[in-house]
Amino acid sequence: MHDTGPTSQSFISQRLKLNYLDWGGRGKPPLVLVHGGRDHARSWDWTAEALRADYHVIAMDHRGHGDSDWVSDGVYSAGDMVYDLAQLIHQLGVGPVRMVAHSMGGNVALRYAGAFPDMVTKLVAIEGLGPSPEYRAKQRSQPYPERLAEWIAKKRKAAGRTPRKYESIEAAFARMIEENAYLTEEQARHLTVHGVNRNEDGTYSWKFDPHLNVWPVEDIGDEFIEQLWSAITCPTLLLYGADSWASNPEKDGRIAHFKTASVIEFEKAGHWLHHDQFDRFIATLRDFL
């Protein structure tokens, strides 16, 4: 990491105090980095280091993640996260912006770009389109009343769950490696150190809210998300890992809903391709942004 790291700042969104990292460089083109689910802003540190000479880099912690507040009712929606992203850009007064986002963060960033097309000049979304049409059809094959009842049972269970405790930072590190075998030891340690809090009893727990494991039964209707994708006007890159579980939109047909997007698939990369193939990822960003 660079000798001078980012400053930690905060802003208010829907009464929540949310955290973001500012890597400096005001006056340079603003670049907003948006992390994925159960992740945190410090996962972008390598990307920020590589690009901070050319951009004013800002990386946010979503609600319920990193050093941002958890919601009181444990209910997280993409719509609220879009509001948070809009509020960050509005309060900073830095728009229009370039944006790079991953997974859940990519889903949020794509919606923001569709709702506010004049506020985004370039967009890179890493596996950010959400569940594939095939997966959604499988989900919806189960009657909605049954799915709602299951959601209530899962929420009730989550309400009684406390964050998992690890006896040592090494144990948390081992879990990080188990989650993504592509990570180097350096990457996994960095993500672990910045992704845990130390509890009063000396154990460690992940910073994200356990309720993030239970998402609402349904999001917005398919036609509405497709309208948002179609409303994006800036050049857009959709990045996918060849070894990921995520469905490539060129293969499942969702690319048809975009007017300005293209897809690049990364070999020997999974869902976190920005870690798995970092050098190629940065080269792709430099060429595109």
mmCIF file with all atom_site columns, all heavy atoms in Angstrom, residues 216-228:
data_model
loop_
_atom_site.group_PDB
_atom_site.id
_atom_site.type_symbol
_atom_site.label_atom_id
_atom_site.label_alt_id
_atom_site.label_comp_id
_atom_site.label_asym_id
_atom_site.label_entity_id
_atom_site.label_seq_id
_atom_site.pdbx_PDB_ins_code
_atom_site.Cartn_x
_atom_site.Cartn_y
_atom_site.Cartn_z
_atom_site.occupancy
_atom_site.B_iso_or_equiv
_atom_site.pdbx_formal_charge
_atom_site.auth_seq_id
_atom_site.auth_comp_id
_atom_site.auth_asym_id
_atom_site.auth_atom_id
_atom_site.pdbx_PDB_model_num
ATOM 1   N N   . PRO A 1 216 ? -34.875 -9.645  0.643   1.00 0.00 ? 216 PRO A N   1
ATOM 2   C CA  . PRO A 1 216 ? -36.337 -9.672  0.419   1.00 0.00 ? 216 PRO A CA  1
ATOM 3   C C   . PRO A 1 216 ? -36.740 -10.739 -0.598  1.00 0.00 ? 216 PRO A C   1
ATOM 4   O O   . PRO A 1 216 ? -35.945 -11.113 -1.473  1.00 0.00 ? 216 PRO A O   1
ATOM 5   C CB  . PRO A 1 216 ? -36.628 -8.258  -0.116  1.00 0.00 ? 216 PRO A CB  1
ATOM 6   C CG  . PRO A 1 216 ? -35.539 -7.400  0.466   1.00 0.00 ? 216 PRO A CG  1
ATOM 7   C CD  . PRO A 1 216 ? -34.319 -8.282  0.499   1.00 0.00 ? 216 PRO A CD  1
ATOM 8   N N   . VAL A 1 217 ? -37.964 -11.206 -0.484  1.00 0.00 ? 217 VAL A N   1
ATOM 9   C CA  . VAL A 1 217 ? -38.453 -12.276 -1.352  1.00 0.00 ? 217 VAL A CA  1
ATOM 10  C C   . VAL A 1 217 ? -38.397 -11.846 -2.812  1.00 0.00 ? 217 VAL A C   1
ATOM 11  O O   . VAL A 1 217 ? -37.972 -12.604 -3.682  1.00 0.00 ? 217 VAL A O   1
ATOM 12  C CB  . VAL A 1 217 ? -39.898 -12.656 -0.966  1.00 0.00 ? 217 VAL A CB  1
ATOM 13  C CG1 . VAL A 1 217 ? -40.410 -13.780 -1.868  1.00 0.00 ? 217 VAL A CG1 1
ATOM 14  C CG2 . VAL A 1 217 ? -39.966 -13.076 0.491   1.00 0.00 ? 217 VAL A CG2 1
ATOM 15  N N   . GLU A 1 218 ? -38.844 -10.636 -3.098  1.00 0.00 ? 218 GLU A N   1
ATOM 16  C CA  . GLU A 1 218 ? -38.824 -10.110 -4.460  1.00 0.00 ? 218 GLU A CA  1
ATOM 17  C C   . GLU A 1 218 ? -38.227 -8.711  -4.452  1.00 0.00 ? 218 GLU A C   1
ATOM 18  O O   . GLU A 1 218 ? -38.393 -7.954  -3.497  1.00 0.00 ? 218 GLU A O   1
ATOM 19  C CB  . GLU A 1 218 ? -40.234 -10.050 -5.056  1.00 0.00 ? 218 GLU A CB  1
ATOM 20  C CG  . GLU A 1 218 ? -40.761 -11.385 -5.526  1.00 0.00 ? 218 GLU A CG  1
ATOM 21  C CD  . GLU A 1 218 ? -40.103 -11.883 -6.807  1.00 0.00 ? 218 GLU A CD  1
ATOM 22  O OE1 . GLU A 1 218 ? -39.508 -11.075 -7.534  1.00 0.00 ? 218 GLU A OE1 1
ATOM 23  O OE2 . GLU A 1 218 ? -40.201 -13.102 -7.080  1.00 0.00 ? 218 GLU A OE2 1
ATOM 24  N N   . ASP A 1 219 ? -37.543 -8.387  -5.529  1.00 0.00 ? 219 ASP A N   1
ATOM 25  C CA  . ASP A 1 219 ? -37.006 -7.044  -5.733  1.00 0.00 ? 219 ASP A CA  1
ATOM 26  C C   . ASP A 1 219 ? -38.029 -6.297  -6.590  1.00 0.00 ? 219 ASP A C   1
ATOM 27  O O   . ASP A 1 219 ? -39.226 -6.624  -6.568  1.00 0.00 ? 219 ASP A O   1
ATOM 28  C CB  . ASP A 1 219 ? -35.648 -7.179  -6.436  1.00 0.00 ? 219 ASP A CB  1
ATOM 29  C CG  . ASP A 1 219 ? -34.869 -5.887  -6.486  1.00 0.00 ? 219 ASP A CG  1
ATOM 30  O OD1 . ASP A 1 219 ? -35.240 -4.929  -5.794  1.00 0.00 ? 219 ASP A OD1 1
ATOM 31  O OD2 . ASP A 1 219 ? -33.879 -5.826  -7.232  1.00 0.00 ? 219 ASP A OD2 1
ATOM 32  N N   . ILE A 1 220 ? -37.622 -5.335  -7.357  1.00 0.00 ? 220 ILE A N   1
ATOM 33  C CA  . ILE A 1 220 ? -38.535 -4.691  -8.297  1.00 0.00 ? 220 ILE A CA  1
ATOM 34  C C   . ILE A 1 220 ? -38.814 -5.646  -9.463  1.00 0.00 ? 220 ILE A C   1
ATOM 35  O O   . ILE A 1 220 ? -38.070 -6.604  -9.685  1.00 0.00 ? 220 ILE A O   1
ATOM 36  C CB  . ILE A 1 220 ? -37.956 -3.356  -8.814  1.00 0.00 ? 220 ILE A CB  1
ATOM 37  C CG1 . ILE A 1 220 ? -36.626 -3.575  -9.546  1.00 0.00 ? 220 ILE A CG1 1
ATOM 38  C CG2 . ILE A 1 220 ? -37.799 -2.369  -7.680  1.00 0.00 ? 220 ILE A CG2 1
ATOM 39  C CD1 . ILE A 1 220 ? -36.080 -2.314  -10.204 1.00 0.00 ? 220 ILE A CD1 1
ATOM 40  N N   . GLY A 1 221 ? -39.873 -5.378  -10.199 1.00 0.00 ? 221 GLY A N   1
ATOM 41  C CA  . GLY A 1 221 ? -40.242 -6.234  -11.318 1.00 0.00 ? 221 GLY A CA  1
ATOM 42  C C   . GLY A 1 221 ? -39.185 -6.239  -12.412 1.00 0.00 ? 221 GLY A C   1
ATOM 43  O O   . GLY A 1 221 ? -38.446 -5.263  -12.585 1.00 0.00 ? 221 GLY A O   1
ATOM 44  N N   . ASP A 1 222 ? -39.109 -7.333  -13.157 1.00 0.00 ? 222 ASP A N   1
ATOM 45  C CA  . ASP A 1 222 ? -38.107 -7.465  -14.214 1.00 0.00 ? 222 ASP A CA  1
ATOM 46  C C   . ASP A 1 222 ? -38.186 -6.325  -15.222 1.00 0.00 ? 222 ASP A C   1
ATOM 47  O O   . ASP A 1 222 ? -37.170 -5.820  -15.696 1.00 0.00 ? 222 ASP A O   1
ATOM 48  C CB  . ASP A 1 222 ? -38.301 -8.798  -14.957 1.00 0.00 ? 222 ASP A CB  1
ATOM 49  C CG  . ASP A 1 222 ? -38.000 -9.997  -14.081 1.00 0.00 ? 222 ASP A CG  1
ATOM 50  O OD1 . ASP A 1 222 ? -37.450 -9.800  -12.974 1.00 0.00 ? 222 ASP A OD1 1
ATOM 51  O OD2 . ASP A 1 222 ? -38.324 -11.128 -14.497 1.00 0.00 ? 222 ASP A OD2 1
ATOM 52  N N   . GLU A 1 223 ? -39.409 -5.909  -15.554 1.00 0.00 ? 223 GLU A N   1
ATOM 53  C CA  . GLU A 1 223 ? -39.554 -4.859  -16.555 1.00 0.00 ? 223 GLU A CA  1
ATOM 54  C C   . GLU A 1 223 ? -38.961 -3.540  -16.084 1.00 0.00 ? 223 GLU A C   1
ATOM 55  O O   . GLU A 1 223 ? -38.463 -2.744  -16.889 1.00 0.00 ? 223 GLU A O   1
ATOM 56  C CB  . GLU A 1 223 ? -41.026 -4.666  -16.948 1.00 0.00 ? 223 GLU A CB  1
ATOM 57  C CG  . GLU A 1 223 ? -41.925 -4.105  -15.868 1.00 0.00 ? 223 GLU A CG  1
ATOM 58  C CD  . GLU A 1 223 ? -42.546 -5.173  -14.978 1.00 0.00 ? 223 GLU A CD  1
ATOM 59  O OE1 . GLU A 1 223 ? -41.943 -6.260  -14.826 1.00 0.00 ? 223 GLU A OE1 1
ATOM 60  O OE2 . GLU A 1 223 ? -43.644 -4.915  -14.439 1.00 0.00 ? 223 GLU A OE2 1
ATOM 61  N N   . PHE A 1 224 ? -38.960 -3.326  -14.772 1.00 0.00 ? 224 PHE A N   1
ATOM 62  C CA  . PHE A 1 224 ? -38.431 -2.062  -14.246 1.00 0.00 ? 224 PHE A CA  1
ATOM 63  C C   . PHE A 1 224 ? -36.904 -2.058  -14.231 1.00 0.00 ? 224 PHE A C   1
ATOM 64  O O   . PHE A 1 224 ? -36.280 -1.054  -14.572 1.00 0.00 ? 224 PHE A O   1
ATOM 65  C CB  . PHE A 1 224 ? -38.992 -1.802  -12.850 1.00 0.00 ? 224 PHE A CB  1
ATOM 66  C CG  . PHE A 1 224 ? -40.484 -1.721  -12.806 1.00 0.00 ? 224 PHE A CG  1
ATOM 67  C CD1 . PHE A 1 224 ? -41.217 -2.508  -11.928 1.00 0.00 ? 224 PHE A CD1 1
ATOM 68  C CD2 . PHE A 1 224 ? -41.173 -0.863  -13.653 1.00 0.00 ? 224 PHE A CD2 1
ATOM 69  C CE1 . PHE A 1 224 ? -42.598 -2.437  -11.903 1.00 0.00 ? 224 PHE A CE1 1
ATOM 70  C CE2 . PHE A 1 224 ? -42.558 -0.784  -13.634 1.00 0.00 ? 224 PHE A CE2 1
ATOM 71  C CZ  . PHE A 1 224 ? -43.264 -1.583  -12.758 1.00 0.00 ? 224 PHE A CZ  1
ATOM 72  N N   . ILE A 1 225 ? -36.298 -3.180  -13.847 1.00 0.00 ? 225 ILE A N   1
ATOM 73  C CA  . ILE A 1 225 ? -34.834 -3.237  -13.883 1.00 0.00 ? 225 ILE A CA  1
ATOM 74  C C   . ILE A 1 225 ? -34.345 -3.161  -15.325 1.00 0.00 ? 225 ILE A C   1
ATOM 75  O O   . ILE A 1 225 ? -33.328 -2.532  -15.629 1.00 0.00 ? 225 ILE A O   1
ATOM 76  C CB  . ILE A 1 225 ? -34.294 -4.499  -13.167 1.00 0.00 ? 225 ILE A CB  1
ATOM 77  C CG1 . ILE A 1 225 ? -32.774 -4.435  -13.010 1.00 0.00 ? 225 ILE A CG1 1
ATOM 78  C CG2 . ILE A 1 225 ? -34.673 -5.777  -13.887 1.00 0.00 ? 225 ILE A CG2 1
ATOM 79  C CD1 . ILE A 1 225 ? -32.281 -3.362  -12.104 1.00 0.00 ? 225 ILE A CD1 1
ATOM 80  N N   . GLU A 1 226 ? -35.090 -3.766  -16.243 1.00 0.00 ? 226 GLU A N   1
ATOM 81  C CA  . GLU A 1 226 ? -34.719 -3.698  -17.662 1.00 0.00 ? 226 GLU A CA  1
ATOM 82  C C   . GLU A 1 226 ? -34.845 -2.282  -18.196 1.00 0.00 ? 226 GLU A C   1
ATOM 83  O O   . GLU A 1 226 ? -34.040 -1.845  -19.024 1.00 0.00 ? 226 GLU A O   1
ATOM 84  C CB  . GLU A 1 226 ? -35.582 -4.680  -18.459 1.00 0.00 ? 226 GLU A CB  1
ATOM 85  C CG  . GLU A 1 226 ? -35.238 -6.139  -18.166 1.00 0.00 ? 226 GLU A CG  1
ATOM 86  C CD  . GLU A 1 226 ? -36.298 -7.117  -18.625 1.00 0.00 ? 226 GLU A CD  1
ATOM 87  O OE1 . GLU A 1 226 ? -37.281 -6.661  -19.272 1.00 0.00 ? 226 GLU A OE1 1
ATOM 88  O OE2 . GLU A 1 226 ? -36.176 -8.324  -18.336 1.00 0.00 ? 226 GLU A OE2 1
ATOM 89  N N   . GLN A 1 227 ? -35.847 -1.528  -17.721 1.00 0.00 ? 227 GLN A N   1
ATOM 90  C CA  . GLN A 1 227 ? -35.973 -0.121  -18.105 1.00 0.00 ? 227 GLN A CA  1
ATOM 91  C C   . GLN A 1 227 ? -34.778 0.684   -17.609 1.00 0.00 ? 227 GLN A C   1
ATOM 92  O O   . GLN A 1 227 ? -34.277 1.574   -18.315 1.00 0.00 ? 227 GLN A O   1
ATOM 93  C CB  . GLN A 1 227 ? -37.270 0.465   -17.544 1.00 0.00 ? 227 GLN A CB  1
ATOM 94  C CG  . GLN A 1 227 ? -38.534 0.017   -18.255 1.00 0.00 ? 227 GLN A CG  1
ATOM 95  C CD  . GLN A 1 227 ? -39.787 0.570   -17.592 1.00 0.00 ? 227 GLN A CD  1
ATOM 96  O OE1 . GLN A 1 227 ? -39.743 1.584   -16.897 1.00 0.00 ? 227 GLN A OE1 1
ATOM 97  N NE2 . GLN A 1 227 ? -40.911 -0.110  -17.810 1.00 0.00 ? 227 GLN A NE2 1
ATOM 98  N N   . LEU A 1 228 ? -34.325 0.401   -16.394 1.00 0.00 ? 228 LEU A N   1
ATOM 99  C CA  . LEU A 1 228 ? -33.158 1.104   -15.849 1.00 0.00 ? 228 LEU A CA  1
ATOM 100 C C   . LEU A 1 228 ? -31.917 0.807   -16.680 1.00 0.00 ? 228 LEU A C   1
ATOM 101 O O   . LEU A 1 228 ? -31.148 1.712   -17.027 1.00 0.00 ? 228 LEU A O   1
ATOM 102 C CB  . LEU A 1 228 ? -32.934 0.704   -14.392 1.00 0.00 ? 228 LEU A CB  1
ATOM 103 C CG  . LEU A 1 228 ? -33.879 1.333   -13.368 1.00 0.00 ? 228 LEU A CG  1
ATOM 104 C CD1 . LEU A 1 228 ? -33.760 0.632   -12.024 1.00 0.00 ? 228 LEU A CD1 1
ATOM 105 C CD2 . LEU A 1 228 ? -33.583 2.822   -13.212 1.00 0.00 ? 228 LEU A CD2 1
#
